Amino acid sequence: MEKVLYTDFVTTESLVGVLLEKKEIKKAITRNNLYKFWGKIAGEKFAKRSKPYSMMSGGVMVVACENAIVAQELTLRKTQLLAKFEPYLKSLKLNVKDLRFDPKKWVVESE
């Protein structure tokens, strides 16, 4: 009987390295980092009632809102929000040209 040697194990570091080289993974991590800044951008009051939901083509970020009133308030502040986003976008090398606020995307997280 031939002796089997198990030496072809793949290290965790090499797996992570391979994953981080993938364009889709890099993009998802970068977007996630951008989403973390939403509280600083929107302010405490709106951060509790809205959260980044997704990115659409053309640099449009969809923000889920608790209700239509929050969506309307944020829409009125869109220009200021985009201006506050600018330093974070530059550091992450992202392009967000517009914000879309959607109360239909809001999901209540169970505690």
Side-chain angles (χ1 to χ4, degrees):
M1 183 181 233
E2 187 177 333
K3 188 174 183 179
V4 179
L5 298 176
Y6 294 98
T7 57
D8 291 342
F9 288 116
V10 178
T11 65
T12 306
E13 292 84 13
S14 65
L15 276 176
V16 170
V18 169
L19 286 175
L20 289 177
E21 289 176 15
K22 293 187 181 261
K23 185 178 176 182
E24 298 83 14
I25 301 291
K26 279 184 181 179
K27 190 183 285 188
I29 290 171
T30 305
R31 287 180 180 173
N32 188 48
N33 287 336
L34 177 65
Y35 295 167
K36 289 178 183 178
F37 295 118
W38 179 248
K40 291 182 180 182
I41 302 300
E44 187 179 336
K45 178 174 124 180
F46 288 110
K48 292 178 182 175
R49 293 176 170 80
S50 64
K51 58 186 166 200
Y53 182 79
S54 66
M55 290 291 289
M56 296 172 54
S57 61
V60 178
M61 186 167 110
V62 178
V63 178
C65 300
E66 186 177 50
N67 55 46
I69 296 166
V70 173
Q72 181 64 29
E73 283 287 326
L74 289 171
T75 299
L76 293 171
R77 299 167 191 252
K78 186 190 297 190
T79 305
Q80 290 115 343
L81 293 171
L82 286 170
K84 286 182 178 181
F85 253 128
E86 199 61 36
Y88 301 106
L89 295 171
K90 284 182 181 178
S91 68
L92 293 170
K93 296 179 180 147
L94 283 175
N95 187 19
V96 174
K97 294 181 181 176
D98 196 13
L99 299 170
R100 185 165 297 154
F101 304 101
D102 191 346
K104 295 176 187 168
K105 305 287 189 203
W106 185 257
V107 176
V108 178
E109 296 176 10
S110 57
E111 295 178 22

